[in-house]
Structures are given as C-alpha cells and as structure tokens.
Amino acid sequence: QSSLGLKELDELYQTSWIISTFVGPSEYGMTRRQRIHIASTICRNLIEKIQRDVEGVIPKKKTDHSTDSEDEQDGLRLNPDFMEDDTVADVIKTRLYFSSESHILSVLNTLRYCHLINEGGTCDSDVASSPGNEQLFSNEAQKIMNEFAEYDYLSQIVIKVYEDLTMIECDDNMDRFSMEIGVSPGVAGDAMADYKNEAAEDDGRKARDIVPIKWLHGDHRIPVKTFFKLMRNVSAFVEKQRSEMLAGRGMDFSTKVEAQKMQSFVSTEDSD
C-alpha cells in the first residue's frame, strides 16, 4: 500500500519481529518447569493420540492363542472398497496432524523437558534429568532448537518409527522398534526483504524456501519403549496437576463431573 505513505513500515516490522522472538516463546514459560507444565496441559490429548498411533503401527506379537481375526485387527486399515491395487498393504502407517503454532511449541516443549518428570507425576526442574529417565533430544539438538526464533508457515514435526528386522522376536516386541524425531520451523528468509526484491525485479512473487528438517535424537535413535514411558509420565503429571487444582478448590474429580452434569441438566431445564 504505497499510497498510504507508510515510510517507517520496514522499521516497524523489524522491531516487532525482534520483540515477538522473545515474547512469543515466553508465553509458554520462562523456566523449564513452567514450560513442561504449560506445554503438557495444552497438548496432552495430541501427545496421547500420537502415542496411540505409534502403538498402532507396531504389530502385536503372535501367540499360540491368537486368531487370524485378532491379528487382522492390529492398527487402522484402509477401506478395501477404495483400493485400486490389491497388492498394496492396507495397514495405515502414516499419520498427518494439522495444528497451530501454539500446539507445535507445546509438543516440542513437552518432548524437550519430559525427562524431568518421574513416574509419580512430579517434576524436578533443578536436576538435569529425573532418575531413570533419558532425554529424547541430544544436547546439540537443544542448542539447535534455541536458535529457532519462530515457527512459521509449513512448520513441521516429523516422527519416524523403525523396525530392526535383525533382532530376534521376543516376549517384548517393543525392543525391535525405535524412533527419529525431526523439526523444521517452516519458511525461511526475511519477508520484507523478499517483498522489496520482488518489487524491484517486477517478475512476480517468488516462493520462499523451507528450512530443512533438523533431526533431534543425536547419533542414536530413540527406543520406542523410552518414548512411551516418558509420555506416560507426562499424562500422570497433567493428571496430578489437575487433581491438585481441584483439591485446592475443595472438590475432587468425581465431584466436578457431577457438577458439570448438574449444570448441563439445569441448562436443559431452562431451555425447555
């Protein structure tokens, strides 16, 4: 809008961007405990959905008592009515989740700091890691994530699950599976600089590049069992925080549910 005569727009944008790189992430906590508390509360349902989907692609170990129908029920499957190629496996092994920047930040903070939570659902942010827990992300990956100022368009978190076919099947089939976790903060470059270059060249709008995915697990993949354990700790942590909040208000969870039912009943009566 050159007709508006906004000569300081570039400076306003640059100043606002610098402020947002601090204010934005700070909304999700200043300390590690604040970050894991806020993040896990926001994205608990999404984290649990991801965990269930990872479990869904891991085949159950067959036993002498298992039936073919039980084996066929492992994981989600494609509708055969819409499959043109009968030779393609019908088990769904890819999941796509579309969410907001707030959930991307929350999922990443949960994965970054989940090792601070122990099995009892308590968090000790004064130690490097809760006893018996491993970090999902390497120390080098933590530094890389600190360099991400914002998560722009097409930001993505990629989780890959691998099966080690060289391992002999055992009672605990989870040992054969491991994970890789990567992240990209989306489009790269300076939007204002790109706009000026496009206006000067007058050759149409150009596509901006995507920041390549950075893999955060270090030299070794993450055992699926470790991921599941840490995510169970996160769920226990959120549940404990909620119970303590309700206890502080003089009600337990069952009382809250009954109160919600009563409120719903009263609302229905009023509408009638």
Side-chain angles (χ1 to χ4, degrees), residues 191 193-208:
D194 293 343
Y195 173 78
K196 291 179 179 180
N197 293 333
E198 291 163 7
E201 296 175 4
D202 194 26
D203 59 353
R205 183 167 298 181
K206 297 181 179 179
R208 296 172 64 187

Side-chain angles (χ1 to χ4, degrees), residues 27-155:
E27 292 177 350
Y28 299 87
M30 298 290 289
T31 65
R32 295 190 298 176
R33 180 179 178 83
Q34 290 175 348
R35 289 174 183 172
I36 186 62
H37 173 69
I38 295 173
S40 59
T41 302
I42 291 175
C43 69
R44 175 190 177 182
N45 291 340
L46 178 56
I47 285 289
E48 291 181 347
K49 177 65 168 65
I50 294 173
Q51 179 180 342
R52 290 195 301 271
D53 287 343
V54 172
E55 290 176 342
V57 300
I58 298 178
K60 306 293 187 299
K61 185 178 184 301
K62 295 183 179 181
T63 65
D64 296 336
H65 304 288
S66 63
T67 63
D68 293 338
S69 60
E70 289 176 344
D71 295 335
E72 292 174 356
Q73 292 175 358
D74 292 343
L76 297 176
R77 295 181 179 273
L78 297 170
N79 188 333
D81 296 337
F82 297 93
M83 294 181 61
E84 298 180 356
D85 188 351
D86 295 337
T87 63
V88 176
D90 60 351
V91 178
I92 298 175
K93 296 185 178 180
T94 300
R95 304 291 194 278
L96 300 177
Y97 314 89
F98 297 88
S99 191
S100 61
E101 182 182 13
S102 63
H103 274 70
I104 290 178
L105 272 169
S106 298
V107 169
L108 289 176
N109 279 345
T110 299
L111 297 177
R112 288 184 72 177
Y113 304 114
C114 59
H115 60 280
L116 301 175
I117 304 173
N118 61 32
E119 293 185 5
T122 58
C123 176
D124 188 354
S125 58
D126 295 329
V127 297
S129 180
S130 181
N133 287 346
E134 302 177 26
Q135 286 188 190
L136 290 181
F137 298 160
S138 65
N139 292 331
E140 185 63 28
Q142 298 280 2
K143 297 178 181 179
I144 292 175
M145 295 186 66
N146 289 334
E147 297 175 358
F148 293 157
E150 62 179 344
Y151 292 89
D152 213 322
Y153 297 108
L154 298 180
S155 295

